[in-house]
Amino acid sequence: MFLHTVLAGCLLTSSYAASVTSRINSELLQRSPPSVPPSSIGSVAELTIVNRVIAPDGFKRSATLAGGIFPGPLIKAQKNDKFSINVVNQLQDHDMPLSTSVHWHGIQQQKTNWADGTSFITQCPIPPNRSFLHQFSAPNQTGSFWYHSHFSTQYCDGLRGPLVIYDPDDPHKDLYDVDDESTIVTISDWYHDPTTVLNKVIGPVTNNSTLINGLGRYPGGPMSPLSVINVEQGKRYRFRVFGLSCDPSYNFTIDGHTMTIIEADGVETVPQTVDRLPVFAGQRYSVVVHANQPVANYWVRAQPNLGNQSFVDGLNQAILRYKGAPEEDPTSSAGSSVLPFNEAMLASLMSIPVPGVPEIGKADININLVAGNVNGLFTINNVTFHSPPTPVLLQMLSGAQHPSDLLPNGSVYELPPNKVVEITIPETGAAPGGPHPMHLHGHKFAVVRVAGNSTPNFVNPIWRDTVSMGTIGDNVTFRFVTDNAGPWFFHCHIDFHLNNGFAAIMAEARNQLPIVSESIPGMAAVLVIPSKLIELNFPETWASLCPSDDPYTALYNTSTVLT
């Protein structure tokens, strides 16, 4: 069951909250809706970002929410649907960021780099009382995706939710009977303090609770309701498991049941049956679960890799309830693992070919990215990422700078079009807080060498968009083709690590950028970039999100001739 908790008219009660309660707008806290908002919306919709007080684990705090609920509403689409989602910023709680942006994680944004929703990379953030219309399509993409804020660590305050593109011709459809809102399973960490406080913590940040479908409990807290996933004996369910975490990874299990993996990060896989599933921040899986056990209640467990790992009193758990079972907590036990997960065994169902010469280091472009940490700030190749003052896309479109001068200095890797790129990310142990889940925007990639396995696989590896760096000694390697113009963020999806500089930018096919906007309604601005006359049809509101005194915005808006 896709559950949400929305509680109105409440004040924060933590030690931090006591000090800020007087500063919270009491009028804001009285605006929570009298009933739970819709739990799902379509691909053409308005997504309003608001502050509400919620208590998903029994502890009340103000949160930043999509649609006023946590997780945000499920966005449902069908294969080849066009998306038109207007993100409306109505944030008012000054104890959390008031600007926002929404990124559509896993959607490749072919020719719509501007709609990726990544603050300071593809757009300026959306200010309060403003909106931004995201119009994009996802041709040939189906499966499980998600959306979240890409402004500071805002999604840790609640702005995150699932997105599914259903495929009526799913090649796995004969393996399951049920695939709908009731089979959505979101796993997320939850914090009682806002991230404006957590961002000041030196070292690891520990979550207070694990939420499954928006509900959970914390140590010493009340016996708050847990999520219930309802099944009927004999039926087969396609559970879509979403890693909405800001930090922990989870070992996901269902007592007494095995799971058959059929999708990873929007890519159909050769079925692989496991009894436990590691889910890192940003990753998604579809698993088929056969309800073939006696009618009863069974624990659904999401054990985090850090913080409180106990299952006492329902911590880190939800309930799988068979039709006809009493409404009570399960008494099931976890059992031992006999079918462990092995990422090296994951393979794409369609045998997607790996681009380039089938040998490590023999791609057109080979980039080694070594992570480190200096005085609490993360580095990639000895450079800490800092958000630039002007979005990288706007810098690239202006044509005013030499490629090597793109900001932020040292964090931008310019890539020519139609080349095979191989990225290696060795885990040396120099960047604490792993395993680090690494996510690339704008692409899915072939993981030719996975964590825990030193043997490369160029025959039929898994393709995905978020991959674990693994543990010390691993040297994860993946490939993609530069067929999607624009700047694409590459970063650790532990949001606190990203906030501390664990990121880089793949600035792809600059000379092909004009085509990214060929089908977008809005303003037509003409720029003269050396020897090229380009008509850009970006939405008028895209440039207007940036301050009017930004020199790049001025160039964009006034059709300046650039030299």
Side-chain angles (χ1 to χ4, degrees), residues 147 281 382 388 397 485:
Y147 62 92
N382 300 314
L397 288 170

Side-chain angles (χ1 to χ4, degrees), residues 64-223:
T64 299
L65 306 172
I69 55 178
F70 183 84
L74 165 66
I75 298 177
K76 299 191 299 184
Q78 296 292 319
K79 183 178 181 179
N80 294 324
D81 276 356
K82 294 186 181 301
F83 290 80
S84 182
I85 301 178
N86 192 35
V87 176
V88 181
N89 184 352
Q90 294 184 357
L91 297 174
Q92 300 179 55
D93 188 336
H94 288 267
D95 292 303
M96 291 180 288
L98 295 180
S99 293
T100 192
S101 74
V102 175
H103 166 58
W104 320 97
H105 183 118
I107 303 299
Q108 292 167 24
Q109 299 292 355
Q110 286 281 346
K111 300 185 181 181
T112 49
N113 176 270
W114 63 267
D116 193 48
T118 316
S119 294
F120 308 111
I121 311 301
T122 62
Q123 69 171 75
C124 288
I126 306 170
N129 302 312
R130 291 281 301 277
S131 64
F132 184 59
L133 179 63
H134 293 259
Q135 293 177 296
F136 57 90
S137 58
N140 302 314
Q141 283 196 269
T142 59
S144 307
F145 308 91
W146 65 300
Y147 62 92
H148 59 84
S149 169
H150 227 304
F151 179 79
S152 184
T153 51
Q154 189 177 58
Y155 92 75
C156 307
D157 285 317
L159 205 176
R160 34 186 160 160
L163 185 159
V164 176
I165 304 177
Y166 293 94
D167 184 359
D169 301 315
D170 176 21
H172 286 310
K173 64 183 178 181
D174 291 338
L175 298 181
Y176 55 87
D177 306 304
V178 183
D179 176 27
D180 56 24
E181 289 182 46
S182 72
T183 61
I184 297 292
V185 181
T186 63
I187 310 174
S188 56
D189 46 354
W190 191 246
Y191 302 84
H192 292 170
D193 288 326
T195 57
T196 48
V197 172
L198 300 178
N199 289 342
K200 298 175 183 177
V201 174
I202 304 299
V205 177
T206 303
N207 61 299
N208 294 97
S209 59
T210 296
L211 307 182
I212 300 178
N213 284 351
L215 295 176
R217 295 171 184 167
Y218 65 95
M223 297 296 283

Side-chain angles (χ1 to χ4, degrees), residues 390 394-396 398 400-401 407 549-557:
T390 298
L394 194 49
Q395 294 179 51
M396 293 174 70
S398 76
Q401 295 194 354
L407 300 176
D549 59 354
D550 185 300
Y552 294 97
T553 306
L555 287 173
Y556 181 90
N557 285 330

Side-chain angles (χ1 to χ4, degrees), residues 311-442:
F311 295 121
V312 173
D313 292 332
L315 297 177
N316 302 308
Q317 293 176 112
I319 299 169
L320 183 76
R321 176 165 293 154
Y322 277 65
K323 184 178 181 181
E327 295 186 5
E328 61 186 23
D329 281 356
T331 58
S332 61
S333 59
S336 58
S337 175
V338 295
L339 294 169
F341 173 87
N342 182 354
E343 190 170 21
M345 297 299 293
L346 282 182
S348 67
L349 183 67
M350 303 305 177
S351 297
I352 307 172
V354 178
V357 177
E359 185 178 341
I360 296 291
K362 293 297 181 69
D364 297 326
I365 300 170
N366 302 278
I367 304 175
N368 192 46
L369 300 176
V370 181
N373 189 283
V374 178
N375 298 325
L377 295 179
F378 287 90
T379 61
I380 291 181
N381 289 352
N382 300 314
V383 178
T384 296
F385 175 84
H386 296 281
S387 294
T390 298
V392 179
L393 177 58
L394 194 49
Q395 294 179 51
M396 293 174 70
L397 288 170
S398 76
Q401 295 194 354
H402 185 275
S404 63
D405 293 330
L406 286 172
L407 300 176
N409 287 328
S411 292
V412 182
Y413 294 79
E414 283 241 34
L415 304 175
N418 303 313
K419 299 295 183 181
V420 177
V421 177
E422 180 176 290
I423 304 288
T424 56
I425 41 176
E427 176 53 275
T428 65
H436 300 284
M438 304 303 295
H439 171 53
L440 176 63
H441 293 218

Side-chain angles (χ1 to χ4, degrees), residues 464-486:
R464 60 188 321 160
D465 57 58
T466 308
V467 67
S468 169
M469 279 178 60
T471 57
I472 295 176
D474 281 326
N475 195 9
V476 171
T477 304
F478 63 84
R479 283 188 178 183
F480 65 97
V481 176
T482 54
D483 56 3
N484 195 7

